């Protein structure tokens, strides 16, 4: 819906541009003839039902500008039809489209159906997530290098760095559902849809964004001034992208160097962007 609204805004702005430019681009249409290898442009003008063809002398001042204007005019006239139809289609979509939300639908039922113990995950679409089931589901955590889990959090779960602790506390402060170092299998597919590679990773955080019930992964890269660490990080980022996790969409990335350390304000800022402003 957000994409449709944005597309509608873009189309309406473009339509205004077309309406403003078309009267300014001159009268007539272009025609081109070739004779003895020489190409000449003509401007066709119709007045009072009579068509007049005027030769455009390339040596004359403004001839190139006339050709440019008439070319843009022809493009914009075709674009006008398309964008007008797009505006109608998007307006119709936004007027009639309804979100099928099992959580909201349950609230419309009588009290007999409001038990928190009932699993309603069968009512969800395949790409949707039942927040209650997600919240209580068990998951496989990273058990490697447990000796590096040295930094305490308010829930008594230990994390691997001060920066991760900042992110952890920012998520807790927002009452966000998340998992720390939850197992994730990245699958890369070819153009035929066949799996060509598979890699198991443990993202720093897996977040359930309740506004649209989508999973986001969050990786903090802590030593990006270390060339070896940076190369490994870039490889990992590439693997995420190949598996369908895209920075700015469902993949959150932050990083730091010795000269530019990560702060709690940075954590709050990035969560504001992806999850919305904190509710006070």
């Amino acid at each position: 819906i957000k994409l449709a609204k944005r597309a509608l805004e873009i189309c309406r702005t473009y339509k205004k541009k077309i309406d403003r430019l078309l009267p300014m681009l001159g009268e007539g249409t272009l025609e081109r003839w070739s004779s003895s290898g020489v190409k000449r442009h003509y401007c066709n003008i119709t007045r009072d039902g009579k068509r007049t063809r005027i030769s455009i002398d390339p040596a004359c001042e403004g001839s190139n500008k006339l050709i440019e204007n008439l070319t843009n005019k022809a493009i914009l006239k075709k674009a006008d039809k398309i964008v007008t139809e797009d505006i109608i289609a998007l307006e119709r979509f936004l007027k009639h489209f309804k979100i099928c939300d099992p959580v909201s639908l349950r609230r419309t039922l009588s009290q007999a159906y409001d038990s928190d113990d009932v699993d309603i995950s069968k009512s969800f679409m395949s790409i949707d997530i039942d927040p209650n089931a997600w919240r209580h589901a068990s998951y496989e955590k990273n058990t490697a290098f447990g000796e590096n889990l040295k930094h305490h959090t308010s829930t008594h779960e230990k994390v691997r760095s001060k920066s991760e602790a900042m992110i952890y506390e920012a998520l807790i402060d927002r009452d966000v559902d998340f998992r720390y170092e939850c197992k994730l299998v990245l699958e890369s597919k070819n153009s035929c849809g066949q799996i060509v590679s598979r890699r198991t990773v443990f993202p720093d955080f897996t977040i359930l964004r309740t506004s649209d019930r989508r999973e986001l992964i969050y990786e903090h890269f802590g030593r990006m001034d270390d060339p070896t660490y940076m190369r490994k990080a870039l490889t990992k980022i590439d693997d995420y992208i190949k598996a369908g996790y895209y920075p700015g969409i469902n993949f959150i990335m932050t990083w730091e160097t010795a000269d530019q350390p990560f702060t709690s304000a940075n954590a709050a800022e990035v969560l504001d962007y992806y999850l919305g402003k904190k509710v006070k």
Side-chain angles (χ1 to χ4, degrees):
I1 289 177
K2 287 180 181 179
L3 289 173
K5 288 180 177 179
R6 176 60 180 152
L8 180 57
E9 178 186 348
I10 291 171
C11 286
R12 285 173 172 167
T13 302
Y14 186 38
K15 180 71 169 77
K16 290 179 181 179
K17 176 183 176 179
I18 293 172
D19 292 342
R20 176 175 54 85
L21 286 179
L22 278 178
M24 302 166 54
L25 295 176
E27 187 180 2
T29 60
L30 279 180
E31 189 175 347
R32 191 176 73 178
W33 289 83
S34 297
S35 177
S36 301
V38 179
K39 298 177 181 178
R40 295 190 63 87
H41 280 91
Y42 298 87
C43 177
N44 293 319
I45 299 175
T46 302
R47 291 178 181 170
D48 300 325
K50 294 182 179 180
R51 180 182 176 189
T52 303
R53 189 175 74 174
I54 303 170
S55 176
I56 302 175
D57 188 346
C60 290
E61 184 179 355
S63 60
N64 288 337
K65 189 65 176 178
L66 175 60
I67 293 172
E68 176 188 306
N69 284 347
L70 293 180
T71 300
N72 279 286
K73 176 185 174 183
I75 293 170
L76 290 175
K77 287 183 72 173
K78 286 184 174 292
D80 187 39
K81 183 177 183 299
I82 293 172
V83 77
T84 299
E85 292 175 350
D86 286 347
I87 289 172
I88 294 171
L90 287 165
E91 287 176 340
R92 186 178 294 125
F93 167 78
L94 289 169
K95 180 180 179 181
H96 296 287
F97 180 79
K98 295 180 180 178
I99 298 174
C100 184
D101 177 7
V103 174
S104 297
L105 292 175
R106 183 180 186 176
R107 296 194 189 105
T108 67
L109 302 176
S110 69
Q111 293 182 351
Y113 299 94
D114 66 358
S115 174
D116 291 334
D117 297 331
V118 176
D119 180 3
I120 64 168
S121 58
K122 293 183 180 68
S123 301
F124 284 80
M125 294 183 183
S126 59
I127 62 170
D128 206 348
I129 297 172
D130 179 354
N132 190 54
W134 194 93
R135 194 173 296 121
H136 294 97
S138 60
Y139 63 93
E140 186 175 341
K141 298 184 65 172
N142 186 8
T143 57
F145 305 105
E147 67 276 10
N148 294 332
L149 295 168
K150 300 177 180 179
H151 299 270
H152 294 268
T153 66
S154 57
T155 65
H156 306 295
E157 184 171 17
K158 293 182 180 180
V159 297
R160 298 179 188 273
S161 69
K162 291 181 180 179
S163 296
E164 288 185 356
M166 293 177 192
I167 298 167
Y168 193 104
E169 295 304 330
L171 290 166
I172 291 291
D173 187 48
R174 290 167 174 270
D175 197 25
V176 174
D177 291 319
F178 69 94
R179 299 167 178 172
Y180 179 67
E181 291 195 340
C182 171
K183 179 181 178 180
L184 175 65
V185 179
L186 301 178
E187 294 181 340
S188 176
K189 299 179 181 179
N190 60 20
S191 58
C192 298
Q194 299 170 321
I195 298 174
V196 295
S197 66
R198 186 180 281 111
R199 176 185 178 183
T200 298
V201 294
F202 295 87
D204 295 333
F205 300 93
T206 303
I207 301 169
L208 177 61
R209 184 168 59 193
T210 54
S211 61
D212 58 0
R213 294 198 296 271
R214 294 292 179 269
E215 277 189 349
L216 310 179
I217 57 171
Y218 187 156
E219 286 279 16
H220 178 74
F221 300 104
R223 292 183 287 118
M224 291 300 277
D225 46 357
D226 179 336
T228 301
Y229 178 95
M230 183 177 66
R231 283 194 294 272
K232 291 180 180 178
L234 292 175
T235 298
K236 193 173 188 180
I237 292 168
D238 188 51
D239 288 341
Y240 276 127
I241 293 172
K242 289 177 180 177
Y245 292 93
Y246 303 109
I249 300 177
N250 55 355
F251 179 16
I252 306 172
M253 292 190 300
T254 50
W255 53 86
E256 63 183 305
T257 64
D259 294 333
Q260 293 183 312
F262 190 74
T263 66
S264 296
N266 296 144
E269 184 179 5
V270 73
L271 293 182
D272 280 347
Y273 180 81
Y274 284 93
L275 304 178
K277 294 286 186 180
K278 176 186 171 183
V279 178
K280 296 181 180 180

